[in-house]
Amino acid sequence: MINHDNIHNSSNDSKKNLASHFLGKILFNHSHAYAYSSAECYIRIKEDFHHEGDVTIGVFFPIHTMYTGNKVPHPYLPNVYTDFHIHYNFKIYQLVLALVFAIEEINRNPHLLPNISLGFDFYNVPYSEKNILMNALIWLTGLSNLRSLHCNYNCLKERKTSAVITGPSWVKSAHIGTLLQLYKFPQFTVGPFEPIFSDRSQFNSLYQLVPEGTTLSLAMVSLMLHFGWIWVGLIIPDDHRGTQFLADIREKMEKNQVCIAFVEMIQSTWNSFSYKYWKSLGIIQETLANIIIIYGDNDLLQGLMTNLGQQVLTSKVWVMTSEWDVTNIADYFLLDSFHGSLIFSQPHEQVAEFINFIKTVNPYKYPEDNYLPKLWFLFFKCSFSKLDCHLLENCQPNASLELLPRHMFDMVMSEDSYNTYKAVYIVAQSLHEMSLHQVQMQPFRNGERLVFFPWQLHPFLRNIHTGANMALEWKQKLDDDKYDILNFWNFPKGLGLKVKVGNFLPNAPQSQQLTLSEKMIRWPERYLEIPKSVCSESCGPGFRKVSLEGKAVCCYDRTPCADNEISNETADMDQCMKCPENHYAETEKKHCLQKAVSFLNHEDPLGISLTTIALCFSVLTTAVLGLFVKHRDTPIVKANNRTLSYTLLITLTVCFLCALLFIGRPNTTTCILQQITFGGAFTVALATVLAKAITVVIAFKVTFPRRVVRWLIISKAPNLIIPMCTLIHLVFCGIWLGTSPPFLDQDYHAEHGHIILVCNKGSDFAFHGILGYLCSLALGSFTMAFMSRNLPDTFNEAKFLSFSMLVFFCVWVTFLPVYHSTKGKVMVAMEVFSILASSAALLGFIFVPKCYIILIRPDKNSVHHIRNRPHSRRNNPLKT
């Protein structure tokens, strides 16, 4: 690599040969110019230059860097390579112009440092650490040949140097700072805040002009949350700053459920572009993350950024800090990878006259500036004079830096330029304070000037106020740490505008910390709306997230919400919200709707059917009762215990009508009446059937004396079974109502979207006890009737009683499992159906045959028919 020493220690003939050998072209990239040396003047012009003054400031900025790609040795020049390049950084050159602008303002100001002029010594900071310290030593000692350096502090040059300004690279500032620290030289850094410099045991003479920036990670995460970006990539330098930033932003992201898609930690500088960069570039191109945060400075990540700028990555939105110069290569392609980027910049003032000053800068006005002739040669087609490399010929008329495109040179004062401007004023004000202090102590005599050592400035520097009544040493600690959010407009390529679209105020209430004007933001040309950056598609309403094992929390699957659960207001819900019991989830499971109250209504098809059947059977039973009353003196009515038949028919009418208590809107009264009426009516009916069966058995089967049998039949003793059974039922009901009576209940789950009003039995044990009691009566009646099935069949109803009890028993035994397997209105309908079916069985099997004889075969319903009918001994046991 060709460095400063190699070039200037060569002979003039060697320089001419070297200059003639470097034929090439100029490439403008990333607001820098690359040049192959095309004239001897590029070698002859020195890198450092000076502006005379009574007191000077040392300035060390890396305006250009010389490097070689493959280190191809020159055929006859030692330590010289044929693939020699010069890399210009015009953004940093603006810092030099800000320095000149500030010094000129101060020198014109009669109230600041009167009779004392400020000057500066500029040295380019090379890439090599050895050369960095060498230039600093040359400046400190004033010796051009360090080989003859054998001195201590007293060897310092007589020129009155006051302070040093370095930057923006913290690495180069640290190298220079280790040397300056030996002499307690005040040093100002204009680059990003560096935590290492806060160690006062190592750098107690160093001042940083920027706040610490502790809220940068919070500001970036707030931006992510504002736009819903939860899948974000990170590109950071592999050093202590990158590690600290990664720890800070990872903590903020985890708290807010923002995930890191990838982390690329870059180790090399811009000119060591190895295969690892290509690997990183591949990861960036293939990642699903459309938002990528870039943290670091130009020195560390320049190589990757340069190559990213040459790609067409229009699907990525870059979030970065103002340390980056995102202007890009000036080619003829309209699209730029960095168009639409968002930049976090700490706000700084704009000096109104700076732009006017830039317009007047030219090599003729500032002949000591060694870079201006090179810029005019590169951009305005000037040629170097053959007599003096600092003289130009054949230049374009009215050539000015304002004519350069913004991607090459931006006239707006940058943050680093403003800090350089501010540093000069801080030094001038501290010198002014020190001179006033010396005058008070001992006035200057004629011809005497300000005499001081640089370390004597520290007390005055620490007391200098830099705005808002804040001392310099505390400014970075007490600063509000605000950030402006800039949007980079670079379409078409070369536009290069940075437009403020918002800000971040960490001391404001949380809801007001981030302010954005979304309408002003221009996104990459691929996006017509705010871009998305997610690992998994958002779970829409009606779905919830399902975590994937081994994946980040932002990567998930989705599944529909369970029944009666919704997810509506927020996307990507971890859990669905359960609807209240009186609400239900709609089909799409976005909202909970009020359930409609429902019950077995008379107006429903099922309710109408059951009501009609109950009324029809009750009317039919009443008709049968009327028929029996009308034919009460006929043999068939009298033969089957007329009184019990009347009782049974009346009870059956009540049974049919009690089914109506189950239809319609229930209330507490109807709930109680349902069970009492149903149980009581069927108890009387079954007791009546049992009395009938016992009467037949007594008449034909009992072996009591005939007189006793006649008395039992005449006295109607079997009829006492009815009140006895009824009394037992009433006792059961009393216990039921006294302990756990039926009550009105609401069934929220029986029917989707409805609240079913049902009667809760109160006590399942009591309800099933009543059913068991009724079935035991039916079983007893069936047993008695079955015993008398083969008795003389003249008007013998034993078989019909047996069949009716068998059907009754089957209906209610079948009812239990069906009842417990249904809910809501269907359960009520099943109970009503069982009541109607069992009642109809009693009516049909017991009374239909009698009605048939009374109405269709009245000839069989006569005494004459009964007497003339033959009877076998088997069928007529009375005949013996």
Side-chain angles (χ1 to χ4, degrees), residues 459-682:
F460 300 96
L461 286 172
R462 293 189 177 99
N463 292 325
I464 291 298
H465 290 66
T466 59
N469 295 323
M470 223 176 295
L472 175 63
E473 65 177 353
W474 297 108
K475 179 170 176 57
Q476 59 264 28
K477 297 181 181 179
L478 302 179
D479 198 279
D480 286 342
D481 212 1
K482 303 174 183 177
Y483 285 96
D484 288 338
I485 302 176
L486 311 178
N487 186 216
F488 182 57
W489 296 358
N490 202 29
F491 180 81
K493 202 168 189 178
L495 179 62
L497 287 178
K498 295 178 183 177
V499 181
K500 181 178 177 180
V501 295
N503 54 37
F504 180 79
L505 306 175
N507 294 332
Q510 186 173 2
S511 60
Q512 302 174 11
Q513 287 180 337
L514 183 69
T515 304
L516 279 176
S517 177
E518 294 184 12
K519 294 182 179 179
M520 291 184 62
I521 298 177
R522 293 187 182 180
W523 302 108
E525 291 303 311
R526 176 176 178 177
Y527 299 107
L528 299 178
E529 56 184 10
I530 297 175
K532 297 180 179 180
S533 188
V534 295
C535 178
S536 302
E537 285 298 325
S538 177
C539 288
F543 293 86
R544 67 176 180 87
K545 297 192 298 184
V546 178
S547 299
L548 299 176
E549 187 176 356
K551 299 287 186 179
V553 295
C554 300
C555 301
Y556 48 80
D557 201 354
R558 64 176 191 166
T559 185
C561 291
D563 292 339
N564 210 39
E565 292 184 352
I566 63 166
S567 63
N568 58 348
E569 297 178 358
T570 341
D572 300 333
M573 294 185 65
D574 294 320
Q575 298 293 334
C576 297
M577 296 184 299
K578 194 173 185 63
C579 290
E581 284 195 339
N582 58 346
H583 289 72
Y584 70 97
E586 57 162 345
T587 307
E588 296 181 353
K589 298 183 179 179
K590 296 180 182 179
H591 305 285
C592 291
L593 303 179
Q594 180 74 38
K595 290 182 178 180
V597 177
S598 180
F599 47 86
L600 187 59
N601 200 339
H602 296 97
E603 299 176 357
D604 294 340
L606 184 59
I608 293 174
S609 301
L610 294 176
T611 301
T612 303
I613 293 172
L615 292 176
C616 290
F617 272 109
S618 60
V619 170
L620 179 62
T621 306
T622 304
V624 172
L625 176 61
L627 182 66
F628 267 56
V629 171
K630 182 178 179 179
H631 297 85
R632 59 183 177 278
D633 296 325
T634 58
I636 196 169
V637 176
K638 295 174 64 177
N640 296 122
N641 200 328
R642 181 171 51 192
T643 303
L644 292 179
S645 297
Y646 291 163
T647 302
L648 182 58
L649 286 170
I650 293 172
T651 306
L652 287 177
T653 303
V654 175
C655 288
F656 284 122
L657 293 177
C658 80
L660 299 178
L661 292 174
F662 294 83
I663 304 173
R665 189 183 186 95
N667 53 57
T668 304
T669 302
T670 56
C671 288
I672 295 175
L673 288 177
Q674 283 177 7
Q675 305 307 319
I676 294 177
T677 307
F678 155 68
F682 271 94

Side-chain angles (χ1 to χ4, degrees), residues 309-546:
Q310 294 173 351
Q311 308 296 319
V312 186
L313 300 175
T314 58
S315 63
K316 307 301 180 186
V317 178
W318 310 92
V319 178
M320 56 189 72
T321 63
S322 59
E323 302 160 25
W324 281 105
D325 183 10
V326 292
T327 42
N328 213 326
I329 185 170
D331 54 23
Y332 298 100
F333 203 67
L334 290 177
L335 299 179
D336 175 26
S337 295
F338 294 105
H339 171 67
S341 298
L342 295 172
I343 303 169
F344 282 84
S345 173
Q346 290 175 329
H348 62 277
E349 299 178 16
Q350 287 292 335
V351 182
E353 294 300 319
F354 181 70
I355 294 180
N356 294 330
F357 165 76
I358 293 292
K359 294 178 181 179
T360 64
V361 171
N362 59 68
Y364 311 106
K365 183 178 180 181
Y366 299 101
E368 71 276 6
D369 190 334
N370 294 336
Y371 286 92
L372 287 176
K374 295 182 180 182
L375 298 183
W376 255 245
F377 171 80
L378 292 175
F379 296 119
F380 302 117
K381 297 182 180 180
C382 299
S383 59
F384 292 109
S385 172
K386 296 180 180 180
L387 300 177
D388 188 351
C389 284
H390 289 81
L391 299 179
L392 299 174
E393 299 174 347
N394 304 321
C395 291
Q396 293 180 356
N398 300 323
S400 172
L401 291 176
E402 70 172 321
L403 300 178
L404 297 180
R406 187 178 286 105
H407 71 272
M408 293 183 183
F409 187 87
D410 194 347
M411 297 176 62
V412 178
M413 180 177 280
S414 67
E415 181 180 347
D416 288 344
S417 296
Y418 177 75
N419 289 331
T420 303
Y421 175 85
K422 184 169 63 175
V424 175
Y425 264 90
I426 292 172
V427 173
Q429 192 171 350
S430 64
L431 288 170
H432 185 79
E433 295 290 336
M434 187 171 65
S435 65
L436 292 178
H437 179 74
Q438 288 186 2
V439 168
Q440 292 174 0
M441 298 297 294
Q442 183 178 359
F444 294 150
R445 287 176 287 184
N446 292 335
E448 287 187 346
R449 294 184 303 174
L450 180 64
V451 178
F452 67 96
F453 292 104
W455 55 265
Q456 291 177 312
L457 276 179
H458 287 298
F460 300 96
L461 286 172
R462 293 189 177 99
N463 292 325
I464 291 298
H465 290 66
T466 59
N469 295 323
M470 223 176 295
L472 175 63
E473 65 177 353
W474 297 108
K475 179 170 176 57
Q476 59 264 28
K477 297 181 181 179
L478 302 179
D479 198 279
D480 286 342
D481 212 1
K482 303 174 183 177
Y483 285 96
D484 288 338
I485 302 176
L486 311 178
N487 186 216
F488 182 57
W489 296 358
N490 202 29
F491 180 81
K493 202 168 189 178
L495 179 62
L497 287 178
K498 295 178 183 177
V499 181
K500 181 178 177 180
V501 295
N503 54 37
F504 180 79
L505 306 175
N507 294 332
Q510 186 173 2
S511 60
Q512 302 174 11
Q513 287 180 337
L514 183 69
T515 304
L516 279 176
S517 177
E518 294 184 12
K519 294 182 179 179
M520 291 184 62
I521 298 177
R522 293 187 182 180
W523 302 108
E525 291 303 311
R526 176 176 178 177
Y527 299 107
L528 299 178
E529 56 184 10
I530 297 175
K532 297 180 179 180
S533 188
V534 295
C535 178
S536 302
E537 285 298 325
S538 177
C539 288
F543 293 86
R544 67 176 180 87
K545 297 192 298 184
V546 178

